[in-house]
Amino acid sequence: MMKAKKHILRLIGILIAMPLWADAKPGEQEYQAYCLACHGDKGQGGVNFSAPPLAESAWVQGEAERAIKVVLNGLKGNIEVDGHVYTALMMPPQGAVLSDKQIADILSYVRTSWGNKSGKVKPAAVAKVRKEIDGIEPFYEASELLKQHPLPKVETALRGLLVETYLGEWNKLPDFSKLKSEGLEEEHSNIISFRNISHRKNFGLVWTGQFENRKRGGHKFILQADDGAKLIINGKEVAKIDGIGDMKRVARAEHWLKKGLHDIRVEYFQKGGDRGISLYWEGPNNSKGGFLTDKVKDIAPVHEPIVLKPPGSEAFIYRNFIEGVSPRAIAVGYPGGKSIAFSQDDCTMVLMWKSGFIDAGLHWTGRGKGFTKPVGEGLVSLSSGSAFGLDVNFLRMEHDEHRYPTFVYQAGDYTIEDKPLPSENGIKRVLKIHAQKAGKLIYPLNAAALETIAIECEGKAKLKESAIEMTLKSGVNTYTINYIYK
């Protein structure tokens, strides 16, 4: 009995000491070791589009040979994933580093994770491809690889899609029923797309077909267009964007549908500049839908707005990816409508704006990737690069009783306490600089910012052209910089 008890205790000790990898899926450990740094822990892609996503990606789904070749021999050139074009991509070959089993495990993990629904990969399949491509030059061109292994066809809810082309110059959506069509073609992909449209300006398109609905209830539709577009279902206008404008304009609508097929019509016109259309849908109770169009890069995010604002007398602090700021950004919304964004990487106040704060919908819904934009007006880019042009190190963030933050960091040999505060007409910034000896510091500003704001300095600081010059004594130096809207 004593012997059995010792054996059990020893077994428990071994289990406790086992690494967390024991619970990992096959291939997960290898993915985290070799792929996570570029493609993200959930396949969401690199920060600021540094590497394409693998989650719900056609590049890793379908036949496995395409993905096997990329891992074995590398990939370079321009590729489009999720509507974003990755230029000068360089995915290094891993064939000399990873075994057939390791590659098979990694691809099996990727192809069955994060919304990917393709089959697992066997080591024998990797060995077969390795033998076939032995001796070829490293790095496939994306276009070359897609000729050998086209991406799997994207399924949409559209059926029997046709497109008619019209020529003309309009400032708003015309009545297409009164115009003569230049031609009628089938959209074999059943995707609303410009792929086969050669016209770049002064044209209109009308897509007609059927929308297959598999679930009865209220459906959400999100339409974006450059220039104008209209969605019509069963003869009823559902969403419309009219006039000349870019893809940042969004029309949202909810429309109740029975289960089955419904007539759908999408009208579009383009006058000049860029062309683009995006139509996204969701089923009842936010059930899965998808794009009815080609995904378009650099458009306003498809999400329900979640606009944050400060609670009462306290500041609201939002740490996430913010457009115009380095990846480690900290946005602060103050009572009264003044806001700032601070870069933890560069230790500097990068943005200020008013009359709003942040739309968190981009990050708090779906896969939550991308850089969100400040909400409001008067957005000013104050500076770029590190604080005072020195090597910086962010130390900590402190809060007062109203949760107003003080950013503490090192810049060169100086320790700095940086506390932005809201003021009636802008932002008041209090800087306490701990100096070991007397000297001067230069704080650079974006020259363009001075067209929108005025700078007023208190303490031994003064504005010189597009920089603030601070005279230091040994010890603690306090300066107040007022950023005032003109």
Side-chain angles (χ1 to χ4, degrees):
M1 179 72 181
M2 197 67 165
K3 200 170 182 182
K5 187 175 181 182
K6 284 182 180 179
H7 179 73
I8 292 170
L9 289 173
R10 184 181 174 196
L11 179 60
I12 291 172
I14 292 171
L15 290 172
I16 292 173
M18 284 179 70
L20 294 176
W21 298 118
D23 294 328
K25 293 169 63 178
E28 183 175 1
Q29 180 177 1
E30 287 82 359
Y31 175 85
Q32 297 205 6
Y34 295 102
C35 315
L36 180 148
C38 290
H39 295 288
D41 61 338
K42 296 179 181 178
Q44 71 269 33
V47 172
N48 206 16
F49 299 112
S50 57
L54 302 179
E56 297 182 29
S57 171
W59 277 83
V60 298
Q61 300 196 69
E63 57 175 322
E65 286 83 358
R66 180 193 318 103
I68 293 172
K69 287 183 176 180
V70 169
V71 177
L72 284 172
N73 209 48
L75 184 68
K76 67 178 182 179
N78 300 341
I79 73 166
E80 183 175 345
V81 182
D82 271 0
H84 182 82
V85 178
Y86 294 80
T87 58
L89 182 79
M90 189 68 75
M91 156 74 185
Q94 301 295 319
V97 179
L98 301 175
S99 68
D100 295 340
K101 185 178 185 306
Q102 285 176 309
I103 293 173
D105 286 348
I106 289 171
L107 290 179
S108 295
Y109 173 67
V110 169
R111 285 161 57 87
T112 57
S113 301
W114 320 309
N116 295 326
K117 298 178 180 178
S118 292
K120 294 184 177 181
V121 178
K122 295 181 178 179
V126 180
K128 180 175 180 290
V129 175
R130 189 191 293 269
K131 185 177 180 180
E132 289 173 355
I133 67 173
D134 183 41
I136 73 168
E137 290 292 319
F139 297 106
Y140 283 102
E141 289 283 352
S143 56
E144 169 195 0
L145 193 59
L146 289 179
K147 285 180 182 177
Q148 299 176 17
H149 307 283
L151 296 179
K153 183 180 177 181
V154 178
E155 289 293 332
T156 76
L158 296 178
R159 301 290 179 265
L161 194 63
L162 303 173
V163 60
E164 288 186 275
T165 303
Y166 298 82
L167 299 181
E169 188 172 345
W170 310 285
N171 291 318
K172 62 180 182 179
L173 281 162
D175 183 349
F176 286 104
S177 66
K178 297 179 180 179
L179 300 177
K180 182 181 178 182
S181 167
E182 297 292 319
L184 175 67
E185 295 182 16
E186 290 184 60
E187 286 278 15
H188 297 287
S189 63
N190 280 325
I191 295 173
I192 294 171
S193 170
F194 295 123
R195 294 177 195 176
N196 300 316
I197 306 299
S198 59
H199 303 291
R200 305 298 302 182
K201 62 181 181 179
N202 299 329
F203 70 96
L205 299 169
V206 176
W207 289 274
T208 55
Q210 290 188 307
F211 177 83
E212 184 178 15
N213 178 37
R214 298 182 179 179
K215 199 170 184 180
R216 177 177 177 269
H219 289 60
K220 294 178 182 177
F221 293 91
I222 302 173
L223 177 67
Q224 297 170 260
D226 181 352
D227 288 300
K230 178 164 59 175
L231 169 64
I232 301 166
I233 298 179
N234 295 331
K236 183 178 179 180
E237 181 181 307
V238 175
K240 182 179 180 180
I241 295 173
D242 212 350
I244 308 299
D246 60 23
M247 292 289 290
K248 294 178 182 177
R249 300 173 301 159
V250 183
R252 304 172 188 272
E254 187 161 341
H255 193 64
W256 197 93
L257 293 172
K258 294 180 180 179
K259 183 179 179 181
L261 294 172
H262 299 268
D263 292 337
I264 187 169
R265 178 183 175 95
V266 177
E267 299 180 356
Y268 168 84
F269 88 95
Q270 202 280 341
K271 184 175 182 181
D274 293 331
R275 63 181 189 176
I277 185 169
S278 173
L279 180 56
Y280 181 85
W281 71 279
E282 285 183 357
N285 301 317
N286 297 318
S287 58
K288 187 175 180 180
F291 282 93
L292 301 178
T293 56
D294 281 331
K295 292 184 183 180
V296 184
K297 77 165 193 171
D298 299 334
I299 61 174
V302 176
H303 64 267
E304 291 293 336
I306 304 174
V307 178
L308 306 179
K309 60 181 180 180
S313 62
E314 292 188 345
F316 197 116
I317 296 174
Y318 184 77
R319 304 180 74 159
N320 217 310
F321 299 131
I322 299 169
E323 188 170 296
V325 191
S326 66
R328 293 197 301 166
I330 303 172
V332 185
Y334 297 98
K338 306 301 190 302
S339 303
I340 65 105
F342 184 90
S343 167
Q344 191 174 329
D345 299 288
D346 298 323
C347 295
T348 189
M349 192 169 81
V350 180
L351 303 174
M352 64 179 279
W353 66 99
K354 59 184 178 178
S355 305
F357 183 42
I358 286 289
D359 176 8
L362 176 64
H363 297 139
W364 290 4
T365 57
R367 281 162 42 202
K369 63 179 183 178
F371 285 70
T372 194
K373 295 181 179 180
V375 173
E377 59 186 37
L379 181 66
V380 182
S381 176
L382 300 170
S383 62
S384 57
S386 64
F388 302 99
L390 301 172
D391 290 335
V392 293
N393 179 33
F394 185 83
L395 300 177
R396 63 187 179 275
M397 179 170 59
E398 300 172 348
H399 303 92
D400 64 14
E401 66 275 17
H402 298 295
R403 289 191 57 77
Y404 289 11
T406 297
F407 305 105
V408 184
Y409 52 91
Q410 287 181 312
D413 296 327
Y414 306 96
T415 300
I416 299 173
E417 300 172 52
D418 190 340
K419 185 168 187 174
L421 296 163
S423 66
E424 183 179 355
N425 297 314
I427 295 291
K428 180 171 76 171
R429 188 178 183 190
V430 180
L431 292 165
K432 287 186 179 180
I433 302 179
H434 301 256
Q436 297 175 9
K437 59 182 180 180
K440 284 188 179 181
L441 279 176
I442 304 295
Y443 190 91
L445 298 166
N446 285 340
L450 301 179
E451 298 175 6
T452 307
I453 59 170
I455 302 289
E456 293 183 359
C457 304
E458 301 175 26
K460 291 189 176 181
K462 57 185 176 182
L463 180 66
K464 277 194 169 183
E465 295 181 351
S466 58
I468 299 170
E469 184 181 282
M470 302 177 186
T471 302
L472 301 163
K473 65 180 182 181
S474 177
V476 180
N477 302 263
T478 302
Y479 308 92
T480 299
I481 314 297
N482 293 291
Y483 300 79
I484 304 167
Y485 283 103
K486 292 181 179 179

